[in-house]
Amino acid sequence: MTAATNILFFFFAFATLLCGFLVITSRNPVTSAMFLVLTIVSMAGLFVQLQAFFLAAVQILVYAGAVMVLFLFVIMMLDLKEEERRKIRLVGAAIGTLAVGSIGFIFVKSLASARHGFSPETPTLVGSTPALGKLLFTNYLLPFEILSVLLLVAMVGVILLSKKDLK
Amino acid sequence: MSPIGLEHFLAVSGLLFFTGLLGVIVRRNILIMYMSLELMLNAANLALVAFSRFNNNLNGQVMVFFIITVAAAEVSVGLALIVALHRKRQSAHVEDLATLKL
């Protein structure tokens, strides 16, 4: 890989992590949602770097488009105010950070031990959309069709759940 | 500068996952917890795409495609549940939703 792609990788990785961090730290839910959009878009940049062009497009269309509009609509409907400064329970925060830290420690250790198992040279796979589509409609045809039923079920469920008098 | 390898992508994915996990544990607003869940799902997607690329295997990308679709369905159902809850309780904080607590 050339130096330019390296710089692009670090740019997108940094943007992803920074915006992800801002999602969980900002007090206003709308700001959080906006930073989540930025996270998803920069992650699509990482997908492009991994030669997964179709998935990058789907990521932007489905996540940054549909899902985030849904989030913003719900924030609007609930009329959420900016969160007042609640007292953060120190015990909970400490235990949470401890849990995340310990899992992170295991992760770093396993990553360091696996470092020599993978070849760092540039791979040959290009995630071309025709190949992906062929795979989707041959090997994965049944899951694909089941997925459409799942979407239908989710749609019916959501319509039922949002009825005024929920029984 | 060393070339970008699998471990770089895995490190980004892992860090993003821990950010999401921390958000779910620390935040009390149910919508922001839900967004943190999305972060964790996205981190898993990134790891899958990276593995798929560095193992020369397209199956991982098909998996990510399925995950994105299921996540869209899951988000719509979850948000409908949150709206229904908010209608009953007028609150979006998990501390106020403790009916199941002993």
Side-chain angles (χ1 to χ4, degrees):
Chain A
M1 277 194 197
T2 59
T5 53
N6 273 9
I7 291 170
L8 270 182
F9 168 79
F10 282 112
F11 172 74
F12 280 124
F14 185 72
T16 306
L17 291 177
L18 181 73
C19 294
F21 186 71
L22 286 170
V23 168
I24 69 163
T25 48
S26 56
R27 294 199 165 270
N28 194 337
V30 180
T31 324
S32 273
M34 286 306 163
F35 278 122
L36 189 53
V37 172
L38 274 180
T39 311
I40 283 160
V41 169
S42 43
M43 186 166 277
L46 286 180
F47 281 5
V48 169
Q49 287 227 310
L50 286 167
Q51 309 275 320
F53 305 115
F54 177 67
L55 284 179
V58 166
Q59 174 96 349
I60 289 189
L61 281 179
V62 175
Y63 261 115
V67 169
M68 292 322 296
V69 167
L70 211 59
F71 261 109
L72 286 176
F73 258 107
V74 169
I75 291 171
M76 231 163 58
M77 269 175 70
L78 302 192
D79 194 23
L80 290 179
K81 301 287 181 305
E82 187 143 338
E83 212 169 313
E84 70 269 31
R85 197 164 279 278
R86 289 197 175 201
K87 216 175 73 182
I88 293 177
R89 289 165 312 160
L90 267 180
V91 184
I95 291 176
T97 316
L98 190 70
V100 170
S102 50
I103 300 174
F105 180 71
I106 296 170
F107 178 80
V108 168
K109 277 303 203 189
S110 61
L111 203 61
S113 67
R115 199 181 181 86
H116 309 292
F118 296 107
S119 54
E121 69 260 27
T122 35
T124 50
L125 174 78
V126 175
S128 60
T129 312
L132 192 65
K134 209 170 273 174
L135 201 59
L136 204 57
F137 284 102
T138 52
N139 287 8
Y140 291 94
L141 185 60
L142 183 63
F144 188 73
E145 298 297 339
I146 292 174
L147 210 59
S148 63
V149 179
L150 174 80
L151 284 176
L152 179 70
V153 170
M155 192 178 79
V156 174
V158 169
I159 292 171
L160 261 179
L161 274 174
S162 359
K163 268 174 44 173
K164 202 78 190 166
D165 46 344
L166 194 63
K167 291 205 179 67
Chain B
M1 199 189 283
S2 63
I4 302 296
L6 176 60
E7 60 264 18
H8 291 81
F9 285 99
L10 285 189
V12 173
S13 155
L15 281 173
L16 198 66
F17 188 86
F18 299 133
T19 314
L21 189 59
L22 199 64
V24 171
I25 293 175
V26 171
R27 295 302 301 259
R28 302 283 78 159
N29 188 325
I30 201 163
L31 263 172
I32 297 195
M33 287 171 77
Y34 213 64
M35 286 182 208
S36 310
L37 272 177
E38 292 306 308
L39 278 184
M40 287 158 79
L41 265 175
N42 268 305
N45 280 352
L46 183 61
L48 274 172
V49 175
F51 274 127
S52 147
R53 166 118 168 101
F54 285 89
N55 284 317
N56 284 332
N57 193 339
L58 263 184
N59 290 322
Q61 295 197 10
V62 177
M63 182 71 116
V64 172
F65 180 75
F66 285 151
I67 291 176
I68 288 178
T69 321
V70 172
E74 170 245 325
V75 163
S76 60
V77 174
L79 286 178
L81 278 173
I82 290 175
V83 169
L85 259 176
H86 189 265
R87 227 179 251 154
K88 274 232 168 15
R89 298 290 174 86
Q90 272 76 40
S91 165
H93 279 271
V94 280
E95 287 137 335
D96 304 328
L97 311 171
T99 321
L100 276 178
K101 224 177 185 177
L102 279 176

